[in-house]
């Protein structure tokens, strides 16, 4: 299927899931996850109406940002994969969002290294909601203290939380737990607007739980 067709089909899936959940059809943003696909695929998706793109690997993302520099300012780049402290500078300089922050040290470096002429870097804290030892992210109890510290850093804007629930039917509880954590932190005054939850296989479950951004790779670009 052409990228423009799969993008439209995905947008319809998102809108239908919003309606089924009693939410406005435009309540959820689509992040097109372009990891492993070439810059030409990003260009095609952009031409078909995608505006925000997610990359997992710093070097690969930077290469695509460079290749598409002519579109700078018209598309938004999100880092959604692990970030080591020796790679923070180019990320602070080139990306618009980092959704995978789970340590204060990384957040401090991103804030220090964000160029003053750019708007603050948008941040989501990654939560290990499945509790699997192999997964990165904060444990739920660790989120509130780091959220307060990140919200206080001058060159960052804390936008919300990101998680990757386990695949399979038992993960519905994990989607709901993320939404509950997000609401609880906002009730404590954190003012976050983004719950980044849901991928190709679980976007309906995520939207029913309250996701505001789904990160979709396979359903837009095809199998990796
Ligand atoms: C790869 C990836 C996605 C997209 O997954 P699909 O199943 O291809 O939609 C979303 N979020 C993260 C963090 C990813 O690594």
């Amino acid at each position: 299927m052409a990228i423009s067709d799969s993008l439209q089909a995905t947008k319809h899936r998102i809108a239908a899931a919003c309606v089924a959940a009693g939410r406005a059809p435009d309540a959820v943003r689509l992040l097109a996850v372009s990891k492993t696909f070439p810059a030409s695929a990003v260009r095609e998706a952009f031409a078909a109406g995608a505006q925000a793109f997610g990359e997992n690997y710093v070097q690969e993302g930077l290469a695509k940002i460079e290749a598409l520099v002519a579109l700078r300012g018209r598309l938004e780049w999100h880092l959604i994969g692990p970030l080591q402290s020796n790679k923070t500078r180019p990320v602070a300089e080139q990306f618009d969002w980092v959704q995978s922050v789970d340590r204060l040290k990384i957040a401090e470096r991103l804030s220090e290294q964000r160029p003053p002429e750019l708007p603050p870097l948008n941040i989501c804290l990654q939560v290990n909601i499945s509790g699997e030892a192999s997964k990165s992210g904060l444990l739920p109890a660790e989120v509130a203290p780091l959220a307060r510290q990140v919200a206080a850093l001058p060159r960052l804007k804390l936008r919300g939380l990101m998680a990757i629930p386990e695949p399979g039917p038992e993960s519905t509880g994990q989607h709901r737990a993320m939404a509950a954590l997000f609401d609880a932190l906002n009730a404590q005054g954190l003012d976050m607007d983004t719950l980044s939850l849901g991928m190709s296989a679980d976007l309906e479950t995520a939207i029913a739980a309250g996701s505001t951004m789904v990160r979709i790779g396979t359903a837009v670009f095809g199998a990796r």
Side-chain angles (χ1 to χ4, degrees):
M1 210 197 277
I3 288 174
S4 59
D5 293 331
S6 49
L7 181 68
Q8 287 319 312
T10 302
K11 285 185 171 175
H12 285 142
R13 242 181 102 188
I14 293 169
C18 286
V19 170
R23 304 177 61 193
D26 60 354
V28 177
R29 286 190 76 193
L30 166 62
L31 180 71
V33 177
S34 43
K35 66 179 178 210
T36 78
F37 289 92
S40 58
V42 173
R43 195 179 282 114
E44 212 177 316
F46 173 73
Q51 189 249 332
F53 294 89
E55 289 286 335
N56 276 62
Y57 311 103
V58 173
Q59 291 313 326
E60 184 190 336
L62 291 170
K64 272 176 240 181
I65 292 171
E66 169 77 27
L68 296 169
V69 74
L71 296 176
R72 200 80 192 99
R74 292 202 284 151
L75 39 76
E76 212 177 67
W77 290 101
H78 295 228
L79 182 68
I80 59 172
L83 176 55
Q84 270 125 36
S85 55
N86 62 349
K87 300 259 183 65
T88 51
R89 184 175 296 280
V91 170
E93 291 172 351
Q94 300 293 334
F95 280 81
D96 302 292
W97 288 62
V98 178
Q99 297 200 13
S100 46
V101 170
D102 62 3
R103 285 187 287 150
L104 180 60
K105 184 184 175 197
I106 297 287
E108 286 173 339
R109 290 177 66 92
L110 290 170
S111 183
E112 277 160 25
Q113 294 167 347
R114 181 68 168 173
E117 68 275 14
L118 294 180
L121 184 62
N122 297 293
I123 300 292
C124 290
L125 300 183
Q126 184 172 351
V127 183
N128 181 359
I129 197 63
S130 66
E132 294 163 278
S134 60
K135 289 271 179 72
S136 45
L138 298 151
L139 296 177
E142 298 169 328
V143 177
L146 184 60
R148 288 200 191 85
Q149 289 168 312
V150 168
L153 289 170
R155 301 293 300 136
L156 304 185
K157 175 144 183 55
L158 178 67
R159 297 296 295 265
L161 305 179
M162 184 272 265
I164 310 171
E166 260 173 291
E170 58 296 325
S171 72
T172 307
Q174 296 176 13
H175 294 84
R176 291 210 200 92
M178 276 306 300
L181 180 62
F182 180 72
D183 291 344
L185 293 176
N186 273 339
Q188 292 168 27
L190 274 162
D191 193 27
M192 301 182 294
D193 64 7
T194 302
L195 178 58
S196 174
L197 192 64
M199 319 202 300
S200 295
D202 67 340
L203 76 85
E204 283 84 4
T205 310
I207 289 172
S211 167
T212 70
M213 184 186 290
V214 290
R215 308 178 309 270
I216 309 296
T218 311
V220 170
F221 292 104
R224 291 182 291 273

